[in-house]
Amino acid sequence: MRRADPTVVPEADRRQTPGPDDAREYGSAEMIRGAVEEMLSTLHGDLSVGHVRISGQLRDLAGYIEATRQELARLRPSEIAGRHIADATDELDAVVQETEDATNAIMQAAEEIEAAATHAAAAPGLSAAVTKIYEACSFQDLTGQRIRRVVRALKEIESKVDSMIAALDGGKSSPDGRRDQHGKPEDSRLLNGPQPPGDAISQDDVDSMLADAD
Amino acid sequence: MPIDKNIGILVVDDYKTMIRIIRNLLKQLEFSNVDEATDGGTALRKLREGNFSLCISDWNMEPMTGLQLLKEVRADAKLKSLPFIMVTAESKTENVVAAKQAGVSNYIVKPFNAATLKAKLISVFGDF
């Protein structure tokens, strides 16, 4: 009588596994788990200890993926995209609008002073002061550009979160299609915006570069 | 011969406050014939249809950037010699190089002051 190989697990002793039809009901993580189980269910005949070890590791992997998916779902990513980022971009848009309104009010006052100063004895001094006000008001343009870059970054994050949600749901929900993807201008790599202090080249540097190229 | 301060100047920027600032500074220099555009497409149309002697443009605009506007101007038979001053927050070396290669007449980095604007106008038109 042939002695049974102690390293082989007879087919009859292997655990029952869900069929492939069950796995197809689920999203991406479940699909991976289902594929693992399906693969295991196709194994026929006696298994070696090595096969059992591999099957155990694959089950652990599927379980890890499922646990990660549940952990990510607990973070409620739909709130990040649908509420938090939307609120943040709305607030930033409001900042830009309010600074524009305030700047226009300042400019209006400065223009009125300049008009009134035409006939005043102190006209030169007033005119110089008004000029400084005009120059200072350019802050609204620069802050607006910086804020616009932040909004753009937030919308990019929102898009990626939407994609992540779609992947976790296995395609049941699709990324938010509201985002209007403008085609990037061909010189988009040159759109760096205002630089941090110390990184921007000075007007003197610009003038030198233009002069050198002549 | 001193420049005619009644020349047409087109100021292009997607921020209306910046257009207003530049317009006021030009007015202080006695240039009052100033028109405006808030995007490159409108600016290009105005330049082609109008009679401008100078274009002052921002860079960072959409969908047409100031650099693209400059290239369109230099490619246009009527506009190719139009003085074009870029006024922009784009302050990297590569930006200045790209603008120079595209044929910019001068380049002002934001924030700027009235004296700088005057100096660049003098560089384009001569002393006034």
Side-chain angles (χ1 to χ4, degrees):
Chain A
M1 183 172 100
R2 189 166 70 94
R3 193 188 311 177
D5 182 346
T7 65
V8 172
V9 177
E11 182 174 0
D13 293 342
R14 274 182 281 139
R15 284 185 293 170
Q16 293 299 313
T17 57
D21 287 338
D22 299 323
R24 287 195 191 102
E25 291 182 296
Y26 302 100
S28 298
E30 282 84 1
M31 285 173 66
I32 295 172
R33 186 177 184 174
V36 168
E37 300 287 357
E38 183 178 348
M39 185 196 73
L40 291 174
S41 70
T42 61
L43 296 175
H44 296 294
D46 294 338
L47 297 175
S48 67
V49 169
H51 287 138
V52 172
R53 189 177 304 123
I54 290 172
S55 76
Q57 288 172 342
L58 288 172
R59 282 200 176 89
D60 289 344
L61 176 62
Y64 177 77
I65 292 171
E66 176 61 23
T68 302
R69 194 190 74 82
Q70 291 176 2
E71 188 63 38
L72 288 172
R74 273 194 284 274
L75 296 175
R76 294 193 277 192
S78 60
E79 278 190 13
I80 296 173
R83 198 174 83 195
H84 300 309
I85 292 180
D87 287 351
T89 55
D90 286 348
E91 290 295 325
L92 290 171
D93 286 341
V95 168
V96 174
Q97 185 59 54
E98 286 169 10
T99 56
E100 180 179 345
D101 293 343
T103 304
N104 278 323
I106 293 169
M107 298 272 289
Q108 180 66 33
E111 288 160 7
E112 290 171 9
I113 292 172
E114 192 168 42
T118 306
H119 307 292
L126 281 171
S127 181
V130 165
T131 300
K132 287 180 184 173
I133 293 173
Y134 293 153
E135 291 169 357
C137 283
S138 65
F139 82 91
Q140 196 270 334
D141 174 37
L142 296 173
T143 55
Q145 289 192 45
R146 291 190 188 277
I147 290 171
R148 203 162 51 181
R149 286 166 62 83
V150 171
V151 170
R152 210 173 289 139
L154 285 172
K155 289 180 177 175
E156 185 65 30
I157 293 170
E158 182 183 23
S159 172
K160 291 190 187 308
V161 169
D162 282 342
S163 297
M164 187 177 72
I165 292 170
L168 288 173
D169 287 347
K172 284 185 216 164
S173 59
S174 57
D176 189 349
R178 289 175 296 135
R179 196 63 57 222
D180 187 12
Q181 298 293 332
H182 292 291
K184 288 185 177 178
E186 60 187 54
D187 61 338
S188 58
R189 66 174 179 79
L190 295 172
L191 298 177
N192 302 297
Q195 294 300 299
D199 285 3
I201 59 176
S202 68
Q203 185 64 53
D204 288 341
D205 292 336
V206 172
D207 294 343
S208 297
M209 289 174 61
L210 292 177
D212 287 345
D214 284 333
Chain B
M1 189 161 110
I3 184 174
D4 175 10
K5 291 192 173 179
N6 200 38
I7 56 168
I9 300 175
L10 183 68
V11 179
V12 190
D13 200 305
D14 55 349
Y15 276 86
K16 287 195 169 184
T17 49
M18 182 52 64
I19 292 178
R20 190 171 183 175
I21 290 168
I22 295 175
R23 186 190 283 275
N24 282 336
L25 292 176
L26 288 171
K27 187 178 175 185
Q28 289 185 331
L29 296 171
E30 298 175 358
F31 293 97
S32 298
N33 186 9
V34 178
D35 198 356
E36 65 187 56
T38 54
D39 66 87
T42 303
L44 191 58
R45 177 179 56 77
K46 286 192 171 187
L47 288 171
R48 284 174 172 157
E49 294 174 358
N51 184 22
F52 293 97
S53 299
L54 171 66
C55 180
I56 299 175
S57 177
D58 184 23
W59 183 316
N60 204 331
M61 301 183 291
E62 290 180 355
M64 183 188 289
T65 66
L67 184 68
Q68 289 173 317
L69 173 62
L70 169 60
K71 290 179 179 177
E72 292 283 348
V73 165
R74 291 290 176 254
D76 188 292
K78 175 194 168 188
L79 303 174
K80 61 184 177 182
S81 300
L82 178 75
F84 194 111
I85 298 177
M86 199 79 81
V87 179
T88 173
E90 300 297 341
S91 53
K92 289 194 158 191
T93 301
E94 58 182 0
N95 292 93
V96 180
V97 170
K100 183 63 182 175
Q101 288 174 347
V104 79
S105 306
N106 223 309
Y107 195 107
I108 299 174
V109 289
K110 294 174 180 175
F112 64 96
N113 57 34
T116 299
L117 178 62
K118 182 177 181 181
K120 301 316 172 191
L121 290 173
I122 290 173
S123 76
V124 170
F125 294 120
D127 208 351
F128 57 81

